[in-house]
Amino acid sequence: MKTPHLYTGSLTVIVMKLLNEHDRMYGYQIVKRVKEITNGGFQITEGALYPCLHKLEADGCVDVEYAFVGKRTRKYYRLTEKGTQETVQKLAELEGYIQNMRALIHPKHREAE
């Protein structure tokens, strides 16, 4: 997708959904997984991802865990109970938004229902 501004507002939901599906993830793992799932259609930059993760941490939606990997420390993110609840809510909101966008883009399909 050549228009990243269309999914910038969805970054938090994307990150929360991935963290909900996996026990814990580190930043680069999230970037790589989004690229894999979308076949390169969405490419999250670290400049967008880390502020998102820091906000989720500040809001109490993710916990941070440090692990030593080789000679370096890796920072893992994990959803908190609050984060899990908010993920469910945000995904429902996004589903509704997507349905409304489909109705606007393809109004004839909507009329046939």
Side-chain angles (χ1 to χ4, degrees):
M1 178 182 266
K2 301 290 183 203
T3 52
H5 63 278
L6 291 177
Y7 65 86
T8 299
S10 303
L11 180 58
T12 300
V13 181
I14 292 167
V15 169
M16 293 176 84
K17 170 120 175 41
L18 286 174
L19 291 174
N20 196 43
E21 291 174 349
H22 303 277
D23 184 41
R24 66 182 192 166
M25 297 180 84
Y26 56 93
Y28 179 69
Q29 193 176 21
I30 294 169
V31 169
K32 194 167 79 170
R33 187 69 186 126
V34 168
K35 189 175 180 180
E36 287 171 1
I37 291 170
T38 64
N39 292 318
F42 285 4
Q43 294 187 21
I44 297 174
T45 64
E46 291 179 8
L49 176 64
Y50 288 104
C52 174
L53 288 167
H54 295 156
K55 181 168 180 0
L56 287 169
E57 181 182 6
D59 292 346
C61 292
V62 298
D63 280 333
V64 175
E65 177 182 313
Y66 295 91
F68 290 103
V69 179
K71 295 181 180 181
R72 33 185 311 217
T73 303
R74 184 172 284 163
K75 192 173 184 179
Y76 286 93
Y77 299 89
R78 173 191 315 266
L79 283 180
T80 60
E81 186 176 326
K82 176 184 177 183
T84 301
Q85 292 170 356
E86 288 204 22
T87 299
V88 171
Q89 177 187 341
K90 289 183 181 295
L91 286 172
E93 291 171 2
L94 184 59
E95 287 283 338
Y97 176 78
I98 291 168
Q99 287 177 355
N100 286 326
M101 288 303 294
R102 280 192 188 121
L104 289 168
I105 293 169
H106 303 290
K108 292 187 187 313
H109 290 85
R110 183 80 168 183
E111 292 170 7
E113 291 178 357

